Amino acid sequence: MVVTPSRRALLAGLATLPLLSSGVLRAAEPDLSELKDLTAGTVPIGPAERARRLSRAQSLMRANGLGAVLTEPGSSMIYFTGVRWGRSERPTLAILPREGRPLIVTPFFEEPSVRQSLAVPAEVRVWQEDGDALAVVAAWLKERRLDRLPIGIEETTRVFIPAALARFAPDARQVSANPVVRGCRMIKTPAELALMQAATDVTLAAYRWLVPRIEPGMTGPEIGALMNAATAKLGGDPEFALALIGPAAALPHGSRDVHRIAPDEILLMDCGCTVRGYQSDVSRTWVPKGRATRVQRKVWDEVAKGQQVARAAAKVGATAGSVDDAVRTFYTGLGYGPDYRLPGLSHRTGHGIGMDGHEPVNLVRGETTRLAPGMCFSNEPGLYLPGHFGVRLEDCFHMTADGPVWFSTPPASIDQPL
């Protein structure tokens, strides 16, 4: 399973590359100085919560007949162990056994650095430059009598790692770790929901600061830079700030063509940040200068209704795919599509969100996972008219026994984007 560049990384590149020489940020510095950190009172994930995560994972391993789960650096490793590390040709790995403490395997010379973020009781073993990390893993599995049991491989793990494990532990059948990793990560706890709410609050506050400061002639990257600067002042770690003007808004993730704010042109923004490892994702579409046209207003209202259709379909026990089906049925009735055709909705209705901006599962046709309390999703059924404009409204929600609860409240009209 090969990791591909994330949407966040791509959008961040689009939003920031041309900005270092811009005077827009310097001009905004006095206004930015007025913003206060909104995250000072947030509570990080603590030892008790991490212990519950491991206990839950081990329960799921036993229920699914797994001996252990192997993860690479990334959000799953952080989720279970706290270890924040990068991926390279030298593997650092975390192995969660069905009983007992996890194992961290890392290069000898990296051990002191890796231990700095380790947040759970764990055994740490090292490998030398002339050795192999997976030989260390295989020896440990044999010691623990786990080498003949199925080993779950976390879904983003690079393919060379399980291939090497197969050489050193040939009797350990490799299976998907999804029943364990997804079984834990998809159901957010109150502590996780609180951090996602804090991230959303930062994004909304940054939007409120930004909206009155958008001026004619500004480019999308300049607007994105202001949004990111406000987000940072408010205590969030900016993830992306996409600003699409006019015809560029008809392309869900934008264009490299330069567009500038002009009277009566649509602006579509898709922005998010991280607070203590948890993300927000909020999109707004409005006309910053001038007045919305009749057609712009009509499409905006149809997207707003599409959001409510999705929300009404998001019931505990319903399949994730049925939410997307409900929106597409509604849009087809309005003359869009059908299916993914344009003009219409060319992407899924929503995605899972948490530590990653996009994580399993998606609100997309054919997804059979059933909605359960604690699951979190974006709700973003945009409409795109190629060559003209697009409208996307995106608000995230979490499921409760009584139905979905918004992290951010959808806007009232195209004239009131917040």
Side-chain angles (χ1 to χ4, degrees):
M1 292 159 282
V2 178
V3 178
T4 57
S6 72
R7 166 178 171 250
R8 303 303 184 218
L10 293 172
L11 297 189
L14 281 172
T16 61
L17 280 175
L19 292 171
L20 295 180
S21 62
S22 172
V24 172
L25 287 177
R26 288 193 298 273
E29 284 177 0
D31 290 345
L32 286 167
S33 67
E34 300 173 1
L35 296 177
K36 305 301 181 185
D37 188 344
L38 300 182
T39 67
T42 57
V43 179
I45 300 300
E49 175 120 348
R50 293 193 188 278
R52 287 192 291 270
R53 291 175 178 181
L54 179 58
S55 177
R56 169 69 173 160
Q58 291 177 326
S59 176
L60 289 171
M61 278 185 252
R62 293 190 290 270
N64 287 276
L66 274 63
V69 164
L70 179 149
T71 73
E72 270 206 272
S75 54
S76 290
M77 184 180 283
I78 297 169
Y79 180 89
F80 288 111
T81 72
V83 172
R84 295 179 178 273
W85 201 246
R87 298 187 180 193
S88 76
E89 76 281 6
R90 297 182 176 101
T92 288
L93 304 166
I95 299 86
L96 312 177
R98 64 192 296 165
E99 294 179 351
R101 296 187 301 168
L103 170 70
I104 306 297
V105 175
T106 192
F108 166 75
F109 66 92
E110 304 284 24
E111 179 188 3
S113 300
V114 168
R115 283 186 180 274
Q116 288 179 344
S117 58
L118 180 61
V120 298
E123 181 178 356
V124 179
R125 295 190 181 185
V126 300
W127 59 280
Q128 302 292 349
E129 288 281 65
D130 60 349
D132 195 300
L134 280 307
V136 177
V137 172
W140 184 84
L141 291 172
K142 187 173 183 179
E143 290 172 18
R144 301 292 295 270
R145 298 182 180 180
L146 300 173
D147 58 319
R148 294 181 181 273
L149 293 175
I151 304 301
I153 307 298
E154 198 267 347
E155 61 186 314
T156 69
T157 302
R158 293 170 295 174
V159 69
F160 76 87
I161 289 174
L165 180 61
R167 294 199 306 272
F168 294 108
D171 295 325
R173 183 167 62 93
Q174 296 181 19
V175 298
S176 171
N178 284 355
V180 176
V181 177
R182 289 189 180 189
C184 292
R185 289 188 56 188
M186 283 175 56
I187 306 300
K188 272 63 176 182
T189 64
E192 293 178 289
L193 296 176
L195 292 175
M196 294 176 69
Q197 185 62 64
T200 302
D201 292 345
V202 166
T203 298
L204 291 174
Y207 267 125
R208 286 192 291 269
W209 177 89
L210 173 72
V211 167
R213 290 167 175 82
I214 295 175
E215 298 293 341
M218 281 185 174
T219 66
E222 288 173 336
I223 295 168
L226 287 175
M227 183 70 180
N228 280 338
T231 296
K233 282 289 292 182
L234 290 160
D237 295 320
E239 285 285 336
F240 56 99
L242 187 65
L244 308 178
I245 301 167
L251 306 174
H253 287 162
S255 166
R256 289 194 177 273
D257 294 339
V258 176
H259 296 268
R260 296 181 181 275
I261 294 292
D264 306 332
E265 286 274 35
I266 280 260
L267 171 62
L268 188 163
M269 293 196 68
D270 186 352
C271 305
C273 72
T274 298
V275 171
R276 296 191 183 273
Y278 286 83
Q279 294 203 15
S280 63
D281 198 352
V282 182
S283 295
R284 293 290 182 261
T285 304
W286 74 104
V287 177
K289 299 298 175 183
R291 295 176 58 84
T293 67
R294 181 186 61 81
V295 174
Q296 290 168 341
R297 195 173 298 277
K298 170 180 175 292
V299 176
W300 195 100
D301 290 344
E302 290 167 339
V303 172
K305 177 61 176 175
Q307 268 200 312
Q308 295 303 323
V309 169
R311 183 178 186 275
K315 301 180 185 297
V316 170
T319 65
S322 68
V323 179
D324 188 73
D325 293 339
V327 172
R328 290 188 195 282
T329 298
F330 170 65
Y331 281 166
T332 299
L334 297 177
Y336 293 104
D339 303 319
Y340 296 90
R341 297 176 193 170
L342 295 172
L345 174 57
S346 54
H347 57 72
R348 61 201 173 199
T349 293
H351 55 80
I353 185 170
M355 294 180 71
D356 295 321
H358 288 190
E359 58 182 50
V361 292
N362 298 311
L363 304 179
V364 67
R365 176 184 291 169
E367 177 55 67
T368 59
T369 301
R370 296 191 179 277
L371 305 187
M375 290 183 175
C376 299
F377 300 96
S378 71
N379 180 342
E380 50 178 316
L383 285 172
Y384 307 96
L385 286 63
H388 299 284
F389 65 90
V391 173
R392 182 162 68 250
L393 305 175
E394 179 180 16
D395 295 278
C396 294
F397 65 88
H398 62 94
M399 292 299 299
T400 73
D402 297 322
V405 172
W406 295 114
F407 287 106
S408 54
T409 303
S413 73
I414 195 170
D415 304 310
Q416 297 175 281
L418 296 170

